[in-house]
Amino acid sequence: MNDELNAQQTLLPVLRYMVAALLLGPIITVLALGPALTDSPVNLIGPPAIFVLGLAAWYLISVQKINAAIQLSMTGIWVSITGIAIFSGGLRSPVMVVYPVLILMTGWLDGARSAKWMALLSVASSLGLWSAEHLHYLPGQFAPPTVVYAIHQVIIVLLSAVLIVFVVRSFGLRFDQLRETKNTLKSQALALQQSQDRYRTLIEWSPEAMLVHRLGTLIYANPAAIKLFSAPDAAALLAKKTTDLIHPDERAAQTARMKSIINQEVIPPATESRFLRFDGTVIDVQVQGTAIDFDGEPAIHVSIHDITERKKLERDIRQLAFYDDLTHLPNRRLLDDRLRQVLSSSKRHGGFNALMFLDLDNFKALNDRHGHALGDALLVDAATRLKKCVREMDTVARFGGDEFVVLIPELGNMQTDATATAMGIAEKIRATLSEPYVLEATHVDGAGFSVTHQCTASLGVLIFSDDASPVDDLLKWADAAMYQAKDEGRNRIRLFMGFSNSTGVRSAILA
């Protein structure tokens, strides 16, 4: 809108000169005609019509209707000139010299398309006048005095001069604008190049690994990325596809993320993933991708932050918090959590589960005779044997010392069947743990030796479903059954059956 207003303002001087000619020209013509004014009707009609046309154009200019003023002026002048020519000599009329200037003025004020139409109209009117004169259709001709020719020539020359001045001035201004634009673009290009150089320097020196790829083909890697992937050089890294650097388990997710970035979909700014170094080592990373233009074409800029140490620390913390440091089995805290999950599941879906509390018999003798190192080795071996006796979904936890707990969920909806299954698993555990342990050790002098130790296990088994009892009570009841097995001679399995109040004291019923 502003550009259109500015363009109209540049046309105003030429338009005003032309309107001034429309107002002064008729007055001068009337004065020049003098006594001959009444010799022809055209003398009485032509100058006033052009004068009225000038007044109308001046009014439109005053109310800022520039385009309307231009179109009215051009069309009105053509109609007036053609009409005057009909009564004042046809092609020999003094007004015929206005046509060329009218075409130029139309083009300057209203554009090339309007100039073409004005040229066609002028040619058509000239051919029409010639035909009319040849066929004797023109009315009686009035021969204006030579002074009228002189006046018209002066007006045309002055308008032409004005037009040329404005054309030259306009082209000068345009060239100045082009030079200014050229200098501005040159400055902007220099600033852009400097910005790109600074950005590239920041990327090159950034400790963050950064890659740029297009449709999975790497096209840029900074030194930090070369170091992260243990690549020998940039060329070797750029020869890889992005999928070559992503862990197989993560490729589908990362490929989907790349498509989302290309499609400009809303996704989390960063995500954790796993990548592969050149030697096949897995690294934990945090990845952030952004769609950019690189060398004038769409691409994806990827920032990669190595979080391997952080993830290792998190795993270590989790291990310390939820797993036994010696056997790497779940500890009491994780056991409680899983037991609550089993209770919640049983409450929703029903079914019976088993909880086994077991203690190693004859373990203290090994510790007292050979020391804690061999005792620890036996505990690790026992943990390995326990895990082989149960399913992947079951939980084997170290409760403390030489005590272990086994949690077996989803044993079915029939208590008798669940009990039979649980007792079968308990017997398998008892038999497996009763096999001799061959433990390797080292003397103080560095010589190696082995110790064979016989160590059995006493087990207490509890069958439960969606019991509302606290977790501690379930463990206590299974523990009571285990101690019953120990009291009866060890290397036995006892099943907790409930409580009896027959003696007035609440006591466990064991089988």
Side-chain angles (χ1 to χ4, degrees), residues 200 212 214 219-220 292-300:
R200 184 173 290 272
V212 177
R214 185 177 292 122
I219 53 180
Y220 173 77
I292 63 169
D293 280 339
F294 190 86
D295 291 338
E297 295 184 31
I300 295 179

mmCIF file with all atom_site columns, all heavy atoms in Angstrom, residues 200 212 214 219-220 292-300:
data_model
loop_
_atom_site.group_PDB
_atom_site.id
_atom_site.type_symbol
_atom_site.label_atom_id
_atom_site.label_alt_id
_atom_site.label_comp_id
_atom_site.label_asym_id
_atom_site.label_entity_id
_atom_site.label_seq_id
_atom_site.pdbx_PDB_ins_code
_atom_site.Cartn_x
_atom_site.Cartn_y
_atom_site.Cartn_z
_atom_site.occupancy
_atom_site.B_iso_or_equiv
_atom_site.pdbx_formal_charge
_atom_site.auth_seq_id
_atom_site.auth_comp_id
_atom_site.auth_asym_id
_atom_site.auth_atom_id
_atom_site.pdbx_PDB_model_num
ATOM 1   N N   . ARG A 1 200 ? 30.355 -20.938 11.869 1.00 0.00 ? 200 ARG A N   1
ATOM 2   C CA  . ARG A 1 200 ? 31.168 -22.118 11.568 1.00 0.00 ? 200 ARG A CA  1
ATOM 3   C C   . ARG A 1 200 ? 32.307 -22.265 12.581 1.00 0.00 ? 200 ARG A C   1
ATOM 4   O O   . ARG A 1 200 ? 32.633 -23.378 13.010 1.00 0.00 ? 200 ARG A O   1
ATOM 5   C CB  . ARG A 1 200 ? 31.723 -22.023 10.143 1.00 0.00 ? 200 ARG A CB  1
ATOM 6   C CG  . ARG A 1 200 ? 32.512 -23.256 9.717  1.00 0.00 ? 200 ARG A CG  1
ATOM 7   C CD  . ARG A 1 200 ? 32.873 -23.166 8.246  1.00 0.00 ? 200 ARG A CD  1
ATOM 8   N NE  . ARG A 1 200 ? 31.715 -23.320 7.408  1.00 0.00 ? 200 ARG A NE  1
ATOM 9   C CZ  . ARG A 1 200 ? 31.264 -24.500 6.987  1.00 0.00 ? 200 ARG A CZ  1
ATOM 10  N NH1 . ARG A 1 200 ? 31.876 -25.609 7.360  1.00 0.00 ? 200 ARG A NH1 1
ATOM 11  N NH2 . ARG A 1 200 ? 30.217 -24.575 6.210  1.00 0.00 ? 200 ARG A NH2 1
ATOM 12  N N   . VAL A 1 212 ? 25.386 -32.560 10.178 1.00 0.00 ? 212 VAL A N   1
ATOM 13  C CA  . VAL A 1 212 ? 24.356 -32.092 9.260  1.00 0.00 ? 212 VAL A CA  1
ATOM 14  C C   . VAL A 1 212 ? 24.161 -33.196 8.229  1.00 0.00 ? 212 VAL A C   1
ATOM 15  O O   . VAL A 1 212 ? 25.122 -33.684 7.649  1.00 0.00 ? 212 VAL A O   1
ATOM 16  C CB  . VAL A 1 212 ? 24.745 -30.771 8.563  1.00 0.00 ? 212 VAL A CB  1
ATOM 17  C CG1 . VAL A 1 212 ? 23.657 -30.362 7.561  1.00 0.00 ? 212 VAL A CG1 1
ATOM 18  C CG2 . VAL A 1 212 ? 24.959 -29.668 9.583  1.00 0.00 ? 212 VAL A CG2 1
ATOM 19  N N   . ARG A 1 214 ? 21.406 -34.794 5.025  1.00 0.00 ? 214 ARG A N   1
ATOM 20  C CA  . ARG A 1 214 ? 20.299 -34.572 4.099  1.00 0.00 ? 214 ARG A CA  1
ATOM 21  C C   . ARG A 1 214 ? 19.805 -35.917 3.625  1.00 0.00 ? 214 ARG A C   1
ATOM 22  O O   . ARG A 1 214 ? 20.526 -36.664 2.973  1.00 0.00 ? 214 ARG A O   1
ATOM 23  C CB  . ARG A 1 214 ? 20.746 -33.697 2.935  1.00 0.00 ? 214 ARG A CB  1
ATOM 24  C CG  . ARG A 1 214 ? 19.630 -33.301 1.966  1.00 0.00 ? 214 ARG A CG  1
ATOM 25  C CD  . ARG A 1 214 ? 20.146 -32.371 0.875  1.00 0.00 ? 214 ARG A CD  1
ATOM 26  N NE  . ARG A 1 214 ? 20.515 -31.061 1.409  1.00 0.00 ? 214 ARG A NE  1
ATOM 27  C CZ  . ARG A 1 214 ? 21.728 -30.542 1.297  1.00 0.00 ? 214 ARG A CZ  1
ATOM 28  N NH1 . ARG A 1 214 ? 22.690 -31.205 0.672  1.00 0.00 ? 214 ARG A NH1 1
ATOM 29  N NH2 . ARG A 1 214 ? 21.990 -29.352 1.813  1.00 0.00 ? 214 ARG A NH2 1
ATOM 30  N N   . ILE A 1 219 ? 26.634 -34.675 5.489  1.00 0.00 ? 219 ILE A N   1
ATOM 31  C CA  . ILE A 1 219 ? 27.305 -33.688 4.641  1.00 0.00 ? 219 ILE A CA  1
ATOM 32  C C   . ILE A 1 219 ? 28.205 -32.757 5.460  1.00 0.00 ? 219 ILE A C   1
ATOM 33  O O   . ILE A 1 219 ? 28.936 -31.960 4.892  1.00 0.00 ? 219 ILE A O   1
ATOM 34  C CB  . ILE A 1 219 ? 26.279 -32.856 3.844  1.00 0.00 ? 219 ILE A CB  1
ATOM 35  C CG1 . ILE A 1 219 ? 25.223 -32.242 4.769  1.00 0.00 ? 219 ILE A CG1 1
ATOM 36  C CG2 . ILE A 1 219 ? 25.620 -33.714 2.784  1.00 0.00 ? 219 ILE A CG2 1
ATOM 37  C CD1 . ILE A 1 219 ? 24.181 -31.402 4.049  1.00 0.00 ? 219 ILE A CD1 1
ATOM 38  N N   . TYR A 1 220 ? 28.145 -32.865 6.782  1.00 0.00 ? 220 TYR A N   1
ATOM 39  C CA  . TYR A 1 220 ? 29.058 -32.066 7.617  1.00 0.00 ? 220 TYR A CA  1
ATOM 40  C C   . TYR A 1 220 ? 29.190 -32.719 8.983  1.00 0.00 ? 220 TYR A C   1
ATOM 41  O O   . TYR A 1 220 ? 28.223 -33.270 9.518  1.00 0.00 ? 220 TYR A O   1
ATOM 42  C CB  . TYR A 1 220 ? 28.546 -30.633 7.794  1.00 0.00 ? 220 TYR A CB  1
ATOM 43  C CG  . TYR A 1 220 ? 29.378 -29.851 8.790  1.00 0.00 ? 220 TYR A CG  1
ATOM 44  C CD1 . TYR A 1 220 ? 30.626 -29.341 8.440  1.00 0.00 ? 220 TYR A CD1 1
ATOM 45  C CD2 . TYR A 1 220 ? 28.942 -29.672 10.100 1.00 0.00 ? 220 TYR A CD2 1
ATOM 46  C CE1 . TYR A 1 220 ? 31.406 -28.658 9.356  1.00 0.00 ? 220 TYR A CE1 1
ATOM 47  C CE2 . TYR A 1 220 ? 29.712 -28.991 11.027 1.00 0.00 ? 220 TYR A CE2 1
ATOM 48  C CZ  . TYR A 1 220 ? 30.947 -28.489 10.652 1.00 0.00 ? 220 TYR A CZ  1
ATOM 49  O OH  . TYR A 1 220 ? 31.727 -27.837 11.555 1.00 0.00 ? 220 TYR A OH  1
ATOM 50  N N   . ILE A 1 292 ? 17.152 -27.092 8.811  1.00 0.00 ? 292 ILE A N   1
ATOM 51  C CA  . ILE A 1 292 ? 17.884 -25.886 8.414  1.00 0.00 ? 292 ILE A CA  1
ATOM 52  C C   . ILE A 1 292 ? 18.060 -25.887 6.899  1.00 0.00 ? 292 ILE A C   1
ATOM 53  O O   . ILE A 1 292 ? 17.762 -26.876 6.225  1.00 0.00 ? 292 ILE A O   1
ATOM 54  C CB  . ILE A 1 292 ? 19.276 -25.811 9.092  1.00 0.00 ? 292 ILE A CB  1
ATOM 55  C CG1 . ILE A 1 292 ? 20.154 -27.003 8.647  1.00 0.00 ? 292 ILE A CG1 1
ATOM 56  C CG2 . ILE A 1 292 ? 19.162 -25.761 10.603 1.00 0.00 ? 292 ILE A CG2 1
ATOM 57  C CD1 . ILE A 1 292 ? 21.601 -26.870 9.043  1.00 0.00 ? 292 ILE A CD1 1
ATOM 58  N N   . ASP A 1 293 ? 18.565 -24.762 6.371  1.00 0.00 ? 293 ASP A N   1
ATOM 59  C CA  . ASP A 1 293 ? 19.047 -24.699 4.993  1.00 0.00 ? 293 ASP A CA  1
ATOM 60  C C   . ASP A 1 293 ? 20.563 -24.772 5.033  1.00 0.00 ? 293 ASP A C   1
ATOM 61  O O   . ASP A 1 293 ? 21.213 -23.984 5.723  1.00 0.00 ? 293 ASP A O   1
ATOM 62  C CB  . ASP A 1 293 ? 18.606 -23.396 4.325  1.00 0.00 ? 293 ASP A CB  1
ATOM 63  C CG  . ASP A 1 293 ? 17.169 -23.453 3.859  1.00 0.00 ? 293 ASP A CG  1
ATOM 64  O OD1 . ASP A 1 293 ? 16.660 -24.575 3.688  1.00 0.00 ? 293 ASP A OD1 1
ATOM 65  O OD2 . ASP A 1 293 ? 16.550 -22.391 3.660  1.00 0.00 ? 293 ASP A OD2 1
ATOM 66  N N   . PHE A 1 294 ? 21.119 -25.720 4.294  1.00 0.00 ? 294 PHE A N   1
ATOM 67  C CA  . PHE A 1 294 ? 22.572 -25.888 4.267  1.00 0.00 ? 294 PHE A CA  1
ATOM 68  C C   . PHE A 1 294 ? 23.004 -25.871 2.816  1.00 0.00 ? 294 PHE A C   1
ATOM 69  O O   . PHE A 1 294 ? 22.555 -26.707 2.020  1.00 0.00 ? 294 PHE A O   1
ATOM 70  C CB  . PHE A 1 294 ? 22.971 -27.209 4.930  1.00 0.00 ? 294 PHE A CB  1
ATOM 71  C CG  . PHE A 1 294 ? 24.458 -27.358 5.149  1.00 0.00 ? 294 PHE A CG  1
ATOM 72  C CD1 . PHE A 1 294 ? 25.051 -26.840 6.291  1.00 0.00 ? 294 PHE A CD1 1
ATOM 73  C CD2 . PHE A 1 294 ? 25.250 -28.006 4.217  1.00 0.00 ? 294 PHE A CD2 1
ATOM 74  C CE1 . PHE A 1 294 ? 26.411 -26.966 6.508  1.00 0.00 ? 294 PHE A CE1 1
ATOM 75  C CE2 . PHE A 1 294 ? 26.616 -28.135 4.423  1.00 0.00 ? 294 PHE A CE2 1
ATOM 76  C CZ  . PHE A 1 294 ? 27.198 -27.614 5.570  1.00 0.00 ? 294 PHE A CZ  1
ATOM 77  N N   . ASP A 1 295 ? 23.836 -24.885 2.466  1.00 0.00 ? 295 ASP A N   1
ATOM 78  C CA  . ASP A 1 295 ? 24.253 -24.693 1.064  1.00 0.00 ? 295 ASP A CA  1
ATOM 79  C C   . ASP A 1 295 ? 23.053 -24.520 0.148  1.00 0.00 ? 295 ASP A C   1
ATOM 80  O O   . ASP A 1 295 ? 23.014 -25.023 -0.984 1.00 0.00 ? 295 ASP A O   1
ATOM 81  C CB  . ASP A 1 295 ? 25.119 -25.869 0.583  1.00 0.00 ? 295 ASP A CB  1
ATOM 82  C CG  . ASP A 1 295 ? 26.472 -25.906 1.269  1.00 0.00 ? 295 ASP A CG  1
ATOM 83  O OD1 . ASP A 1 295 ? 26.900 -24.848 1.769  1.00 0.00 ? 295 ASP A OD1 1
ATOM 84  O OD2 . ASP A 1 295 ? 27.095 -26.980 1.303  1.00 0.00 ? 295 ASP A OD2 1
ATOM 85  N N   . GLY A 1 296 ? 22.007 -23.836 0.680  1.00 0.00 ? 296 GLY A N   1
ATOM 86  C CA  . GLY A 1 296 ? 20.859 -23.514 -0.144 1.00 0.00 ? 296 GLY A CA  1
ATOM 87  C C   . GLY A 1 296 ? 19.827 -24.610 -0.294 1.00 0.00 ? 296 GLY A C   1
ATOM 88  O O   . GLY A 1 296 ? 18.857 -24.439 -1.030 1.00 0.00 ? 296 GLY A O   1
ATOM 89  N N   . GLU A 1 297 ? 20.004 -25.722 0.399  1.00 0.00 ? 297 GLU A N   1
ATOM 90  C CA  . GLU A 1 297 ? 19.047 -26.826 0.295  1.00 0.00 ? 297 GLU A CA  1
ATOM 91  C C   . GLU A 1 297 ? 18.641 -27.283 1.690  1.00 0.00 ? 297 GLU A C   1
ATOM 92  O O   . GLU A 1 297 ? 19.409 -27.148 2.646  1.00 0.00 ? 297 GLU A O   1
ATOM 93  C CB  . GLU A 1 297 ? 19.654 -27.999 -0.487 1.00 0.00 ? 297 GLU A CB  1
ATOM 94  C CG  . GLU A 1 297 ? 19.949 -27.679 -1.948 1.00 0.00 ? 297 GLU A CG  1
ATOM 95  C CD  . GLU A 1 297 ? 20.446 -28.902 -2.702 1.00 0.00 ? 297 GLU A CD  1
ATOM 96  O OE1 . GLU A 1 297 ? 20.033 -30.022 -2.347 1.00 0.00 ? 297 GLU A OE1 1
ATOM 97  O OE2 . GLU A 1 297 ? 21.255 -28.741 -3.620 1.00 0.00 ? 297 GLU A OE2 1
ATOM 98  N N   . PRO A 1 298 ? 17.417 -27.864 1.820  1.00 0.00 ? 298 PRO A N   1
ATOM 99  C CA  . PRO A 1 298 ? 16.955 -28.318 3.140  1.00 0.00 ? 298 PRO A CA  1
ATOM 100 C C   . PRO A 1 298 ? 17.857 -29.423 3.696  1.00 0.00 ? 298 PRO A C   1
ATOM 101 O O   . PRO A 1 298 ? 18.345 -30.285 2.966  1.00 0.00 ? 298 PRO A O   1
ATOM 102 C CB  . PRO A 1 298 ? 15.544 -28.856 2.854  1.00 0.00 ? 298 PRO A CB  1
ATOM 103 C CG  . PRO A 1 298 ? 15.138 -28.219 1.574  1.00 0.00 ? 298 PRO A CG  1
ATOM 104 C CD  . PRO A 1 298 ? 16.386 -28.038 0.777  1.00 0.00 ? 298 PRO A CD  1
ATOM 105 N N   . ALA A 1 299 ? 18.076 -29.371 5.008  1.00 0.00 ? 299 ALA A N   1
ATOM 106 C CA  . ALA A 1 299 ? 18.896 -30.378 5.685  1.00 0.00 ? 299 ALA A CA  1
ATOM 107 C C   . ALA A 1 299 ? 18.468 -30.419 7.149  1.00 0.00 ? 299 ALA A C   1
ATOM 108 O O   . ALA A 1 299 ? 17.603 -29.651 7.587  1.00 0.00 ? 299 ALA A O   1
ATOM 109 C CB  . ALA A 1 299 ? 20.380 -30.051 5.552  1.00 0.00 ? 299 ALA A CB  1
ATOM 110 N N   . ILE A 1 300 ? 19.069 -31.331 7.903  1.00 0.00 ? 300 ILE A N   1
ATOM 111 C CA  . ILE A 1 300 ? 18.783 -31.453 9.338  1.00 0.00 ? 300 ILE A CA  1
ATOM 112 C C   . ILE A 1 300 ? 20.089 -31.293 10.107 1.00 0.00 ? 300 ILE A C   1
ATOM 113 O O   . ILE A 1 300 ? 21.075 -31.992 9.836  1.00 0.00 ? 300 ILE A O   1
ATOM 114 C CB  . ILE A 1 300 ? 18.137 -32.803 9.673  1.00 0.00 ? 300 ILE A CB  1
ATOM 115 C CG1 . ILE A 1 300 ? 16.757 -32.909 9.009  1.00 0.00 ? 300 ILE A CG1 1
ATOM 116 C CG2 . ILE A 1 300 ? 17.989 -32.970 11.182 1.00 0.00 ? 300 ILE A CG2 1
ATOM 117 C CD1 . ILE A 1 300 ? 16.056 -34.225 9.277  1.00 0.00 ? 300 ILE A CD1 1
#
